[in-house]
Amino acid sequence: MRLSRYFLPVLKENPAEAQIVSHRLMLRAGMIKQQAAGIYSWLPLGYKVLKRIEQIVHEEQVRAGHIPLLMPTLQPADLWRESGRYDDYGQEMLRIKDRHERDMLYGPTNEEMITDIFRSYVSSYKQLPLTLYHIQWKFRDEVRPRFGVMRGREFLMKDGYNFDLTKEDALHAYNRHMVSYLRTYERMGLTAIPMRAASGPIGGDNTHEFLVLAQTGESEVFYDAKVPDLKLGERAVDYDNRDEVAAICEEFTTLYARTDETHDEAVFNQIPEERRMVGRGIEVGQIFYFGTKYSESMGATVVTPDGNRVPVEMGSHGIGVSRLLGALIEANHDDKGIIWPEGVTPFHVGIVNLKQGDTATDAACEAIYKALQGRGLDPLYDDREDRAGAKFATMDLIGLPWRITVGPRGLANNVVELTCRRTGESEEMSATAAVERIVKIYEAH
Ligand code: ATP
Ligand code: MG
């Protein structure tokens, strides 16, 4: 993309309404525009990151054997009357009437609708196990929408639902989700710690939240200092192997890590004092096993191998896709702006032309731009007639992890400059070497 033709409405001033750094930077970098409290338009740069995050979520769900579908945002109230949640959900649910006076709602989650889909088509244990998921907008009429996309009213969520014959099978589905979530967050360059949680309106007693450590997080967290070092890394996982998946879950949940809702001071105090950490975290996902709560009330049953009819065992599993942008920025920024991890960056590399209009410099930039595109990469070329300082400030603000700077002085010696956004370190090399380096960096992502 050529910046002269892109739509990147960056703000010079700090927006007064933004209380935390991720909200401030998303507004300044022209990623989002607020349209009403907690409701945002996703401008091109923000939309690009959102799509990249969505893509990673999809890939890791499919890898775990889960099947994508798409349910609507609007739901009939009657489904929620069946489960009893139409009355229980309270004011967070946005209730709507259509022209025929039928009660509708903008879905805050989809347990009822997916259970309805399941009961309409599945009646035998032979069709299990089954996990269906979608990535769809949700609406929760939060009392205090704030912090930009972190606590919106309309927000994008991945929500998946497993259907199994036995509790044992459903717990395997739970574990599969835990491992696939760990991989999902790691691919984004995030450390999200599974913490034992309280279940709230979804119900059930087996649940973990995934928290990204950040000072601005809304949850208070208590954890063993060794926990953030746990990594899945490159290891291959066979999602059908119950013992293997369970062992990974055990590895990640044995050390103490809890939110204030489940914190137990006595257990916490058994950790050596120097490892007792208290901090704050951002909830970027949650998994639940809740058994037959919805299948019983809504009549989602299957015939077992010995001919009995039983309610199906279920769980639900969510990732805060739009909230992740905020969490990623909280975890990756400095005083100049955002620093995107390679896994989610909107453009792979920025090209800064120091002397737009100079024939040789323009030609060198064009060549680099085309070469990168030819290798399947997505560069952002700042081809505007602007001061070098202003171009650098924009690149730093929008946080592309790599920058290639091209100017007449370097070209006289056949070099360009390759700069790492995170370390600020620059290296001179030929244009070809710079392209090769970028290609190599992204081979891993
Ligand atoms: P919270 O405790 O933050 O209100 P929740 O526990 O009610 O969230 P879940 O039902 O677990 O939310 O939803 C799954 C995920 O969706 C959460 O882990 C979170 O990342 C995201 N999410 C929930 N509410 C919001 C919101 N208002 N804005 C953005 N993301 C949200
Ligand atoms: Mg939650």
Side-chain angles (χ1 to χ4, degrees):
M1 179 54 66
R2 290 165 204 280
L3 194 41
S4 64
R5 297 186 200 163
Y6 198 45
F7 183 68
L8 183 71
V10 298
L11 306 179
K12 293 236 157 46
E13 304 297 320
N14 265 329
E17 72 267 31
Q19 300 165 33
I20 62 170
V21 65
S22 58
H23 187 195
R24 199 153 58 229
L25 288 173
M26 286 184 81
L27 291 169
R28 282 200 50 211
M31 297 177 69
I32 51 169
K33 180 185 190 306
Q34 183 175 312
Q35 306 290 174
I39 300 179
Y40 292 87
S41 287
W42 292 79
L43 303 179
L45 192 75
Y47 184 57
K48 239 166 171 274
V49 181
L50 188 68
K51 284 286 155 191
R52 294 211 62 189
I53 290 175
E54 224 184 296
Q55 184 58 29
I56 292 175
V57 172
H58 270 303
E59 286 172 13
E60 293 308 323
Q61 286 310 297
V62 169
R63 201 193 302 279
H66 306 157
I67 305 169
L69 81 174
L70 186 61
M71 291 176 271
T73 52
L74 295 186
Q75 306 186 16
D78 282 344
L79 279 181
W80 290 68
R81 292 197 173 100
E82 285 188 52
S83 71
R85 279 208 296 181
Y86 191 62
D87 294 327
D88 291 353
Y89 215 93
Q91 292 201 304
E92 276 193 12
M93 180 184 280
L94 180 65
R95 294 154 208 261
I96 306 161
K97 269 194 201 302
D98 70 11
R99 67 198 296 166
H100 303 295
E101 294 290 304
R102 277 187 290 249
D103 291 323
M104 309 284 290
L105 56 98
Y106 193 136
T109 177
N110 284 58
E111 280 80 8
E112 283 79 358
M113 189 169 277
I114 200 80
T115 305
D116 176 57
I117 291 174
F118 181 89
R119 71 180 173 186
S120 302
Y121 303 105
V122 182
S123 57
S124 163
Y125 77 93
K126 290 180 188 156
Q127 289 159 281
L128 306 181
L130 180 65
T131 295
L132 300 169
Y133 78 92
H134 71 164
I135 299 180
Q136 177 62 293
W137 295 93
K138 304 290 185 289
F139 196 95
R140 293 183 188 173
D141 205 352
E142 302 272 355
V143 200
R144 286 183 62 206
R146 57 192 173 138
F147 303 155
V149 300
M150 291 264 242
R151 185 163 295 284
R153 290 197 297 165
E154 189 186 44
F155 60 96
L156 191 60
M157 194 206 283
K158 172 264 159 180
D159 41 324
Y161 306 87
N162 67 284
F163 300 92
D164 289 280
L165 181 59
T166 64
K167 178 171 182 183
E168 207 185 18
D169 295 347
L171 289 176
H172 173 55
Y174 183 88
N175 289 344
R176 225 171 39 229
H177 279 90
M178 182 177 290
V179 175
S180 69
Y181 281 23
L182 291 169
R183 177 136 281 163
T184 302
Y185 301 124
E186 268 188 32
R187 272 188 66 187
M188 295 174 192
L190 270 184
T191 302
I193 302 171
M195 300 199 181
R196 193 193 291 185
S199 74
I202 308 262
D205 49 25
N206 219 328
T207 173
H208 282 86
E209 290 176 345
F210 292 78
L211 286 110
V212 171
L213 298 175
Q215 282 314 311
T216 46
E218 291 184 286
S219 316
E220 192 174 20
V221 296
F222 304 81
Y223 59 98
D224 187 315
K226 287 183 162 177
V227 176
D229 295 334
L230 297 170
K231 293 282 179 293
L232 210 48
E234 296 299 310
R235 71 181 105 162
V237 179
D238 174 0
Y239 282 103
D240 290 329
N241 183 331
R242 292 185 180 213
D243 295 340
E244 183 184 338
V245 171
I248 297 173
C249 293
E250 202 177 297
E251 181 185 332
F252 279 83
T253 55
T254 300
L255 290 170
Y256 193 92
R258 298 199 198 170
T259 65
D260 47 3
E261 287 175 349
T262 53
H263 177 57
D264 183 333
E265 200 68 28
V267 184
F268 188 57
N269 286 337
Q270 287 166 16
I271 311 172
E273 196 173 351
E274 68 280 7
R275 277 173 31 206
R276 276 178 230 155
M277 310 301 285
V278 182
R280 304 200 69 82
I282 302 166
E283 183 194 325
V284 291
Q286 186 163 13
I287 55 177
F288 299 88
Y289 160 73
F290 48 68
T292 58
K293 179 176 153 85
Y294 298 92
S295 55
E296 239 168 271
S297 57
M298 296 183 66
T301 58
V302 287
V303 175
T304 63
D306 46 18
N308 296 320
R309 196 168 260 287
V310 295
V312 73
E313 289 276 336
M314 292 175 62
S316 72
H317 316 278
I319 292 181
V321 174
S322 49
R323 179 181 285 181
L324 270 167
L325 275 94
L328 276 158
I329 297 173
E330 291 295 326
N332 298 283
H333 68 269
D334 62 15
D335 52 6
K336 293 183 199 147
I338 303 166
I339 308 172
W340 291 115
E342 276 93 355
V344 296
T345 184
F347 294 98
H348 295 114
V349 53
I351 304 167
V352 169
N353 183 331
L354 290 178
K355 199 166 183 196
Q356 198 69 42
D358 174 68
T359 315
T361 312
D362 290 359
C365 287
E366 284 294 331
I368 293 169
Y369 180 60
K370 297 258 165 63
L372 288 162
Q373 285 183 329
R375 303 295 288 272
L377 293 170
D378 191 8
L380 180 66
Y381 172 22
D382 192 345
D383 59 343
R384 299 167 308 161
E385 298 204 357
D386 207 342
R387 290 178 302 109
K391 290 188 174 188
F392 290 148
T394 301
M395 284 294 175
D396 286 346
L397 174 63
I398 69 172
L400 309 187
W402 298 94
R403 187 184 80 207
I404 299 174
T405 309
V406 186
R409 205 176 308 158
L411 288 177
N413 298 316
N414 279 320
V415 294
V416 299
E417 198 180 59
L418 179 66
T419 307
C420 172
R421 173 68 181 87
R422 194 173 289 277
T423 63
E425 281 165 18
S426 293
E427 230 183 293
E428 290 190 335
M429 60 187 77
S430 72
T432 321
V435 169
E436 289 309 317
R437 181 78 73 83
I438 298 293
V439 169
K440 202 161 176 36
I441 287 164
Y442 284 101
E443 267 167 11
H445 294 275

